């Protein structure tokens, strides 16, 4: 008997391709949608047996908020996450949010189908190889560091890291702009992006988080502009 399901992914072509492949295998696809940000509302309104949700960033904060809401308002819906090879943090976050399974993006359609069937039956749908890889990483943290500072650093672009270091040094928007050779409006945008990615509400919180996690030590010093009245020796 086919599964009554929904496919949600930020990449519409991927969602539609998966939906088409699963329809050909006898499953009833209620919707194939993008982006994943609207997944919770869609799933809650349609109430499928299983929802397949794609993500490219399983370890980032907030990625599985839609799963949390779905399980809170439609606990009978089984959610299977479709994502990249995850870190232990990614797998833990998915299942902590209430997901019933995790399938890699490069899995064959047969593997996706097996995961959907297991999830509908109330079983954990995760490949043994993924669990083995996750356990190996957890048992050998020195080989692949996964501390908070490193995780936060990887979320930021090099320019955003420089902005964060300058914020931690107490620079205001004008000084950041002057030091980086950018417009104040651009500097302000960079600051807002840094705050959003770090999940904080103010520059003070961002500086405190960066210091607490060792992110500033990993980032290293940034270049400082010369004094305004300094002369160019080559001029």
């Amino acid at each position: 008997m086919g599964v009554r399901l929904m496919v949600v992914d930020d990449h519409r072509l991927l969602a539609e391709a998966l939906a088409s492949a699963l329809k050909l295998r006898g499953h009833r696809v209620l919707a194939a949608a993008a982006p994943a940000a609207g997944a919770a509302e869609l799933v809650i309104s349609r109430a499928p047996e299983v929802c397949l949700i794609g993500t490219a960033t399983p370890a980032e904060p907030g990625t599985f908020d839609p799963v949390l809401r779905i399980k809170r308002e439609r606990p009978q819906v089984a959610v299977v996450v479709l994502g990249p090879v995850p870190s232990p943090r990614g797998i833990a976050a998915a299942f902590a949010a209430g997901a019933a399974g995790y399938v890699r993006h490069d899995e064959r359609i047969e593997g996706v189908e097996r995961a959907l069937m297991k999830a509908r039956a109330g079983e954990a749908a995760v490949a043994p190889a993924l669990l083995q890889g996750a356990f190996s990483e957890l048992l050998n943290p020195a080989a692949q560091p996964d501390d908070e500072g490193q995780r936060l650093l990887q979320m930021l672009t090099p320019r955003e890291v420089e902005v964060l270091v300058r914020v931690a040094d107490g620079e205001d928007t004008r000084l950041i702009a002057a030091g980086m050779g950018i417009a104040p409006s651009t500097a302000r945008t960079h600051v807002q992006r840094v705050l959003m990615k770090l999940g904080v509400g103010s520059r003070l919180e961002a500086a405190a988080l960066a210091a607490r996690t060792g992110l500033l030590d990993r980032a290293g010093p940034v270049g400082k502009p010369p004094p305004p009245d300094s002369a160019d020796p080559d001029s």
Side-chain angles (χ1 to χ4, degrees):
M1 181 179 175
V3 178
R4 192 175 74 256
L5 62 99
M6 290 178 59
V7 181
V8 183
D9 196 284
D10 284 330
H11 299 88
R12 184 174 296 278
L13 286 177
L14 176 58
E16 292 177 349
L18 270 171
S20 296
L22 290 166
K23 283 180 182 177
L24 289 174
R25 300 179 76 86
H27 301 288
R28 183 185 174 195
V29 181
L30 302 180
E41 291 80 2
L42 196 58
V43 174
I44 291 166
S45 65
R46 303 296 293 274
E49 294 177 303
V50 181
C51 177
L52 183 63
I53 295 183
T55 179
T57 55
E60 283 196 8
T63 295
F64 299 114
D65 286 352
V67 181
L68 283 167
R69 185 178 170 195
I70 291 168
K71 296 306 294 181
R72 182 174 64 248
E73 299 192 30
R74 293 283 188 181
Q76 73 275 19
V77 175
V79 180
V80 175
V81 175
L82 181 70
V85 178
S87 66
R89 187 189 300 274
I91 286 185
F95 281 90
Y102 192 107
V103 182
R104 282 174 44 168
H105 271 143
D106 58 358
E107 180 62 77
R108 296 172 63 89
I109 191 65
E110 293 85 358
V112 175
E113 183 178 39
R114 282 195 299 271
L116 297 177
M117 300 293 285
K118 281 188 173 183
R120 184 178 66 174
E123 302 175 24
V126 57
L130 282 183
L131 287 179
Q132 183 178 4
F135 287 141
S136 295
E137 189 174 336
L138 286 170
L139 292 172
N140 299 280
Q144 296 183 357
D146 191 31
D147 62 77
E148 187 71 0
Q150 180 65 24
R151 183 185 70 81
L152 294 173
L153 190 62
Q154 290 174 346
M155 291 169 57
L156 304 175
T157 67
R159 175 149 287 197
E160 288 167 350
V161 171
E162 182 176 353
V163 167
L164 177 59
V165 173
R166 291 179 180 276
V167 166
D169 284 346
E171 294 187 7
D172 59 17
T173 300
R174 179 182 57 81
L175 287 175
I176 292 172
M180 298 180 67
I182 57 179
S185 59
T186 303
R188 192 174 299 109
T189 297
H190 283 314
V191 171
Q192 290 303 315
R193 286 178 178 169
V194 169
L195 299 183
M196 180 182 67
K197 287 186 177 182
L198 296 183
V200 296
S202 69
R203 299 182 184 212
L204 183 60
E205 287 180 81
L209 177 63
R212 186 175 70 250
T213 60
L215 192 156
L216 295 176
D217 294 332
R218 293 178 179 275
V222 300
K224 296 293 181 183
D229 57 350
S230 64
D232 186 341
D234 295 328
S235 61

Short mmCIF file of all heavy atoms in Angstrom, two decimals, residues 90-143:
data_model
loop_
_atom_site.label_atom_id
_atom_site.label_comp_id
_atom_site.label_asym_id
_atom_site.label_seq_id
_atom_site.Cartn_x
_atom_site.Cartn_y
_atom_site.Cartn_z
N GLY A 90 24.13 17.09 13.50
CA GLY A 90 23.02 17.13 12.56
C GLY A 90 22.02 16.02 12.81
O GLY A 90 20.81 16.24 12.82
N ILE A 91 22.51 14.80 12.99
CA ILE A 91 21.62 13.66 13.26
C ILE A 91 20.89 13.88 14.59
O ILE A 91 19.68 13.67 14.70
CB ILE A 91 22.41 12.34 13.29
CG1 ILE A 91 22.79 11.93 11.87
CG2 ILE A 91 21.58 11.23 13.93
CD1 ILE A 91 23.46 10.58 11.78
N ALA A 92 21.64 14.29 15.62
CA ALA A 92 21.03 14.50 16.93
C ALA A 92 19.95 15.57 16.86
O ALA A 92 18.87 15.43 17.45
CB ALA A 92 22.10 14.89 17.95
N ALA A 93 20.22 16.66 16.13
CA ALA A 93 19.25 17.76 16.03
C ALA A 93 17.98 17.30 15.33
O ALA A 93 16.87 17.66 15.72
CB ALA A 93 19.87 18.94 15.28
N ALA A 94 18.14 16.49 14.27
CA ALA A 94 16.97 16.01 13.54
C ALA A 94 16.07 15.15 14.42
O ALA A 94 14.85 15.35 14.48
CB ALA A 94 17.41 15.22 12.31
N PHE A 95 16.67 14.21 15.14
CA PHE A 95 15.86 13.31 15.96
C PHE A 95 15.36 13.99 17.23
O PHE A 95 14.27 13.68 17.71
CB PHE A 95 16.65 12.04 16.29
CG PHE A 95 16.67 11.05 15.17
CD1 PHE A 95 17.67 11.08 14.21
CD2 PHE A 95 15.66 10.12 15.02
CE1 PHE A 95 17.68 10.19 13.15
CE2 PHE A 95 15.65 9.22 13.97
CZ PHE A 95 16.66 9.25 13.02
N ALA A 96 16.14 14.94 17.75
CA ALA A 96 15.67 15.70 18.92
C ALA A 96 14.43 16.52 18.58
O ALA A 96 13.57 16.73 19.42
CB ALA A 96 16.79 16.61 19.43
N ALA A 97 14.35 16.97 17.32
CA ALA A 97 13.18 17.75 16.89
C ALA A 97 11.96 16.88 16.66
O ALA A 97 10.85 17.39 16.51
CB ALA A 97 13.52 18.53 15.62
N GLY A 98 12.18 15.56 16.60
CA GLY A 98 11.05 14.66 16.40
C GLY A 98 11.05 13.92 15.08
O GLY A 98 10.08 13.22 14.75
N ALA A 99 12.12 14.06 14.27
CA ALA A 99 12.18 13.35 13.00
C ALA A 99 12.20 11.84 13.22
O ALA A 99 12.76 11.36 14.21
CB ALA A 99 13.42 13.78 12.21
N ALA A 100 11.59 11.12 12.30
CA ALA A 100 11.56 9.66 12.38
C ALA A 100 12.68 9.03 11.56
O ALA A 100 12.94 7.84 11.68
CB ALA A 100 10.21 9.13 11.88
N GLY A 101 13.33 9.84 10.71
CA GLY A 101 14.38 9.28 9.87
C GLY A 101 15.25 10.33 9.24
O GLY A 101 14.93 11.52 9.25
N TYR A 102 16.39 9.89 8.71
CA TYR A 102 17.34 10.77 8.02
C TYR A 102 17.88 10.01 6.82
O TYR A 102 18.39 8.89 6.96
CB TYR A 102 18.47 11.18 8.95
CG TYR A 102 19.33 12.32 8.40
CD1 TYR A 102 19.24 13.60 8.91
CD2 TYR A 102 20.21 12.10 7.34
CE1 TYR A 102 20.00 14.64 8.41
CE2 TYR A 102 20.98 13.13 6.82
CZ TYR A 102 20.88 14.40 7.36
OH TYR A 102 21.63 15.42 6.85
N VAL A 103 17.75 10.61 5.63
CA VAL A 103 18.20 9.97 4.40
C VAL A 103 19.15 10.92 3.68
O VAL A 103 18.88 12.13 3.60
CB VAL A 103 17.01 9.64 3.46
CG1 VAL A 103 17.50 8.94 2.20
CG2 VAL A 103 15.99 8.78 4.19
N ARG A 104 20.24 10.39 3.17
CA ARG A 104 21.20 11.24 2.46
C ARG A 104 20.65 11.70 1.11
O ARG A 104 19.88 11.00 0.47
CB ARG A 104 22.51 10.48 2.24
CG ARG A 104 23.37 10.41 3.46
CD ARG A 104 24.58 9.54 3.29
NE ARG A 104 25.26 9.74 2.01
CZ ARG A 104 26.48 9.27 1.74
NH1 ARG A 104 27.12 8.56 2.66
NH2 ARG A 104 27.03 9.47 0.57
N HIS A 105 21.12 12.89 0.68
CA HIS A 105 20.68 13.44 -0.61
C HIS A 105 21.03 12.53 -1.78
O HIS A 105 20.31 12.50 -2.78
CB HIS A 105 21.36 14.81 -0.85
CG HIS A 105 20.57 15.95 -0.31
ND1 HIS A 105 21.16 17.06 0.27
CD2 HIS A 105 19.23 16.18 -0.24
CE1 HIS A 105 20.23 17.91 0.66
NE2 HIS A 105 19.06 17.41 0.36
N ASP A 106 22.13 11.79 -1.65
CA ASP A 106 22.56 10.96 -2.77
C ASP A 106 22.03 9.52 -2.69
O ASP A 106 22.47 8.64 -3.43
CB ASP A 106 24.09 10.94 -2.87
CG ASP A 106 24.76 10.43 -1.59
OD1 ASP A 106 24.04 10.13 -0.62
OD2 ASP A 106 26.00 10.34 -1.57
N GLU A 107 21.06 9.29 -1.82
CA GLU A 107 20.45 7.96 -1.70
C GLU A 107 19.62 7.64 -2.94
O GLU A 107 19.03 8.52 -3.55
CB GLU A 107 19.58 7.92 -0.44
CG GLU A 107 18.88 6.58 -0.19
CD GLU A 107 19.88 5.47 0.03
OE1 GLU A 107 20.44 5.39 1.13
OE2 GLU A 107 20.08 4.69 -0.94
N ARG A 108 19.60 6.38 -3.32
CA ARG A 108 18.76 5.95 -4.44
C ARG A 108 17.29 6.02 -4.03
O ARG A 108 16.95 6.00 -2.85
CB ARG A 108 19.13 4.52 -4.86
CG ARG A 108 20.55 4.39 -5.39
CD ARG A 108 20.92 2.93 -5.61
NE ARG A 108 20.07 2.32 -6.63
CZ ARG A 108 20.35 2.33 -7.94
NH1 ARG A 108 21.46 2.92 -8.38
NH2 ARG A 108 19.55 1.75 -8.81
N ILE A 109 16.41 6.10 -5.03
CA ILE A 109 14.99 6.24 -4.75
C ILE A 109 14.47 5.07 -3.92
O ILE A 109 13.57 5.22 -3.10
CB ILE A 109 14.18 6.40 -6.06
CG1 ILE A 109 12.74 6.81 -5.75
CG2 ILE A 109 14.23 5.14 -6.89
CD1 ILE A 109 12.59 8.16 -5.10
N GLU A 110 15.06 3.88 -4.12
CA GLU A 110 14.64 2.71 -3.33
C GLU A 110 14.92 2.94 -1.84
O GLU A 110 14.14 2.53 -0.98
CB GLU A 110 15.36 1.45 -3.81
CG GLU A 110 14.98 1.00 -5.21
CD GLU A 110 15.78 1.69 -6.30
OE1 GLU A 110 16.62 2.56 -5.95
OE2 GLU A 110 15.58 1.37 -7.48
N GLY A 111 16.06 3.58 -1.55
CA GLY A 111 16.40 3.86 -0.16
C GLY A 111 15.47 4.88 0.46
O GLY A 111 15.08 4.77 1.62
N VAL A 112 15.10 5.89 -0.34
CA VAL A 112 14.15 6.90 0.14
C VAL A 112 12.81 6.23 0.43
O VAL A 112 12.17 6.49 1.46
CB VAL A 112 13.98 8.02 -0.89
CG1 VAL A 112 12.90 9.00 -0.44
CG2 VAL A 112 15.30 8.75 -1.13
N GLU A 113 12.39 5.36 -0.48
CA GLU A 113 11.11 4.67 -0.31
C GLU A 113 11.11 3.80 0.94
O GLU A 113 10.13 3.79 1.70
CB GLU A 113 10.82 3.83 -1.55
CG GLU A 113 9.47 3.14 -1.51
CD GLU A 113 9.21 2.35 -2.78
OE1 GLU A 113 10.16 1.71 -3.29
OE2 GLU A 113 8.07 2.36 -3.25
N ARG A 114 12.20 3.08 1.18
CA ARG A 114 12.28 2.24 2.39
C ARG A 114 12.17 3.09 3.65
O ARG A 114 11.50 2.70 4.62
CB ARG A 114 13.59 1.46 2.40
CG ARG A 114 13.61 0.24 1.49
CD ARG A 114 14.77 -0.67 1.81
NE ARG A 114 16.06 0.00 1.62
CZ ARG A 114 16.71 0.02 0.46
NH1 ARG A 114 16.20 -0.61 -0.59
NH2 ARG A 114 17.87 0.63 0.37
N ALA A 115 12.82 4.26 3.63
CA ALA A 115 12.76 5.14 4.80
C ALA A 115 11.34 5.63 5.04
O ALA A 115 10.88 5.69 6.19
CB ALA A 115 13.70 6.34 4.58
N LEU A 116 10.62 5.96 3.97
CA LEU A 116 9.23 6.42 4.12
C LEU A 116 8.35 5.32 4.71
O LEU A 116 7.53 5.58 5.59
CB LEU A 116 8.68 6.85 2.77
CG LEU A 116 9.38 8.04 2.09
CD1 LEU A 116 8.76 8.28 0.71
CD2 LEU A 116 9.28 9.29 2.94
N MET A 117 8.54 4.10 4.24
CA MET A 117 7.74 2.98 4.73
C MET A 117 8.03 2.70 6.21
O MET A 117 7.13 2.45 7.01
CB MET A 117 8.02 1.74 3.90
CG MET A 117 7.70 1.89 2.41
SD MET A 117 5.93 2.08 2.07
CE MET A 117 5.37 0.40 2.31
N LYS A 118 9.32 2.75 6.58
CA LYS A 118 9.69 2.52 7.97
C LYS A 118 9.12 3.61 8.88
O LYS A 118 8.60 3.32 9.96
CB LYS A 118 11.22 2.49 8.12
CG LYS A 118 11.87 1.18 7.70
CD LYS A 118 13.35 1.20 8.08
CE LYS A 118 13.98 -0.15 7.82
NZ LYS A 118 15.40 -0.16 8.25
N ALA A 119 9.22 4.85 8.41
CA ALA A 119 8.72 5.96 9.22
C ALA A 119 7.22 5.82 9.44
O ALA A 119 6.72 6.05 10.55
CB ALA A 119 9.04 7.29 8.54
N ARG A 120 6.49 5.45 8.40
CA ARG A 120 5.04 5.29 8.55
C ARG A 120 4.71 4.18 9.54
O ARG A 120 3.72 4.25 10.28
CB ARG A 120 4.40 4.97 7.20
CG ARG A 120 2.87 4.88 7.29
CD ARG A 120 2.22 4.61 5.97
NE ARG A 120 2.55 3.29 5.42
CZ ARG A 120 2.01 2.78 4.32
NH1 ARG A 120 1.14 3.50 3.62
NH2 ARG A 120 2.34 1.58 3.89
N ALA A 121 5.57 3.16 9.60
CA ALA A 121 5.35 2.04 10.50
C ALA A 121 5.81 2.33 11.93
O ALA A 121 5.71 1.48 12.81
CB ALA A 121 6.07 0.80 9.98
N GLY A 122 6.34 3.55 12.14
CA GLY A 122 6.77 3.92 13.48
C GLY A 122 8.18 3.49 13.82
O GLY A 122 8.58 3.52 14.98
N GLU A 123 8.96 3.10 12.79
CA GLU A 123 10.33 2.68 13.02
C GLU A 123 11.30 3.81 12.71
O GLU A 123 10.99 4.73 11.94
CB GLU A 123 10.67 1.48 12.12
CG GLU A 123 9.77 0.27 12.32
CD GLU A 123 10.08 -0.84 11.32
OE1 GLU A 123 11.23 -0.87 10.82
OE2 GLU A 123 9.19 -1.64 11.03
N ALA A 124 12.50 3.74 13.31
CA ALA A 124 13.54 4.72 13.00
C ALA A 124 14.09 4.42 11.61
O ALA A 124 14.47 3.29 11.32
CB ALA A 124 14.66 4.64 14.04
N ALA A 125 14.11 5.43 10.76
CA ALA A 125 14.53 5.23 9.38
C ALA A 125 15.85 5.95 9.14
O ALA A 125 15.90 7.08 8.65
CB ALA A 125 13.45 5.76 8.42
N VAL A 126 16.93 5.30 9.50
CA VAL A 126 18.26 5.87 9.29
C VAL A 126 19.21 4.73 8.93
O VAL A 126 19.18 3.66 9.55
CB VAL A 126 18.77 6.63 10.54
CG1 VAL A 126 18.79 5.73 11.76
CG2 VAL A 126 20.13 7.24 10.28
N ALA A 127 20.02 4.94 7.89
CA ALA A 127 20.92 3.89 7.42
C ALA A 127 21.98 3.57 8.47
O ALA A 127 22.53 4.48 9.10
CB ALA A 127 21.60 4.34 6.12
N PRO A 128 22.29 2.28 8.67
CA PRO A 128 23.32 1.90 9.64
C PRO A 128 24.65 2.60 9.37
O PRO A 128 25.37 2.95 10.31
CB PRO A 128 23.44 0.38 9.44
CG PRO A 128 22.09 -0.04 8.93
CD PRO A 128 21.63 1.11 8.06
N ALA A 129 24.97 2.83 8.08
CA ALA A 129 26.24 3.48 7.74
C ALA A 129 26.31 4.90 8.30
O ALA A 129 27.36 5.37 8.73
CB ALA A 129 26.44 3.49 6.23
N LEU A 130 25.16 5.60 8.28
CA LEU A 130 25.13 6.96 8.83
C LEU A 130 25.36 6.94 10.34
O LEU A 130 26.11 7.75 10.88
CB LEU A 130 23.79 7.63 8.53
CG LEU A 130 23.57 8.17 7.12
CD1 LEU A 130 22.23 8.86 7.04
CD2 LEU A 130 24.68 9.12 6.72
N LEU A 131 24.71 6.00 11.02
CA LEU A 131 24.90 5.90 12.46
C LEU A 131 26.33 5.53 12.80
O LEU A 131 26.93 6.05 13.73
CB LEU A 131 23.94 4.85 13.03
CG LEU A 131 22.47 5.24 13.10
CD1 LEU A 131 21.65 4.09 13.65
CD2 LEU A 131 22.27 6.48 13.94
N GLN A 132 26.91 4.60 12.02
CA GLN A 132 28.29 4.19 12.26
C GLN A 132 29.25 5.36 12.09
O GLN A 132 30.15 5.56 12.90
CB GLN A 132 28.68 3.06 11.30
CG GLN A 132 30.09 2.51 11.54
CD GLN A 132 30.41 1.37 10.58
OE1 GLN A 132 29.63 1.04 9.72
NE2 GLN A 132 31.57 0.78 10.76
N GLY A 133 29.02 6.16 11.02
CA GLY A 133 29.86 7.32 10.81
C GLY A 133 29.73 8.34 11.93
O GLY A 133 30.71 8.94 12.36
N ALA A 134 28.49 8.53 12.40
CA ALA A 134 28.26 9.48 13.48
C ALA A 134 28.94 9.02 14.77
O ALA A 134 29.59 9.81 15.46
CB ALA A 134 26.76 9.64 13.72
N PHE A 135 28.82 7.72 15.08
CA PHE A 135 29.46 7.20 16.28
C PHE A 135 30.98 7.30 16.19
O PHE A 135 31.66 7.62 17.16
CB PHE A 135 29.05 5.74 16.52
CG PHE A 135 27.63 5.59 17.00
CD1 PHE A 135 26.85 4.54 16.54
CD2 PHE A 135 27.08 6.47 17.90
CE1 PHE A 135 25.53 4.40 16.96
CE2 PHE A 135 25.77 6.34 18.33
CZ PHE A 135 25.00 5.29 17.86
N SER A 136 31.52 7.05 15.01
CA SER A 136 32.97 7.14 14.82
C SER A 136 33.46 8.55 15.09
O SER A 136 34.49 8.77 15.72
CB SER A 136 33.35 6.73 13.39
OG SER A 136 33.05 5.38 13.16
N GLU A 137 32.70 9.54 14.61
CA GLU A 137 33.09 10.94 14.82
C GLU A 137 32.99 11.31 16.29
O GLU A 137 33.82 12.02 16.83
CB GLU A 137 32.22 11.86 13.97
CG GLU A 137 32.69 13.30 13.97
CD GLU A 137 31.90 14.17 13.00
OE1 GLU A 137 31.34 13.62 12.04
OE2 GLU A 137 31.85 15.39 13.24
N LEU A 138 31.94 10.81 16.95
CA LEU A 138 31.78 11.11 18.37
C LEU A 138 32.88 10.49 19.21
O LEU A 138 33.33 11.06 20.20
CB LEU A 138 30.41 10.60 18.85
CG LEU A 138 29.19 11.41 18.41
CD1 LEU A 138 27.91 10.66 18.73
CD2 LEU A 138 29.19 12.78 19.06
N LEU A 139 33.33 9.29 18.80
CA LEU A 139 34.36 8.59 19.56
C LEU A 139 35.76 9.11 19.26
O LEU A 139 36.70 8.82 20.00
CB LEU A 139 34.30 7.08 19.25
CG LEU A 139 33.05 6.37 19.77
CD1 LEU A 139 32.99 4.94 19.24
CD2 LEU A 139 33.04 6.36 21.30
N ASN A 140 35.91 9.88 18.16
CA ASN A 140 37.22 10.40 17.78
C ASN A 140 37.14 11.91 17.54
O ASN A 140 37.40 12.39 16.44
CB ASN A 140 37.73 9.71 16.50
CG ASN A 140 37.90 8.21 16.70
OD1 ASN A 140 38.88 7.75 17.27
ND2 ASN A 140 36.93 7.44 16.22
N PRO A 141 36.78 12.66 18.56
CA PRO A 141 36.60 14.11 18.36
C PRO A 141 37.88 14.83 17.98
O PRO A 141 37.84 15.87 17.35
CB PRO A 141 36.08 14.59 19.73
CG PRO A 141 36.57 13.56 20.69
CD PRO A 141 36.54 12.26 19.95
N ALA A 142 39.04 14.28 18.35
CA ALA A 142 40.29 14.97 18.03
C ALA A 142 40.53 15.00 16.53
O ALA A 142 41.15 15.91 16.00
CB ALA A 142 41.46 14.29 18.73
N ALA A 143 40.05 13.98 15.82
CA ALA A 143 40.26 13.91 14.38
C ALA A 143 39.41 14.93 13.65
O ALA A 143 39.79 15.45 12.61
CB ALA A 143 39.93 12.50 13.88
#
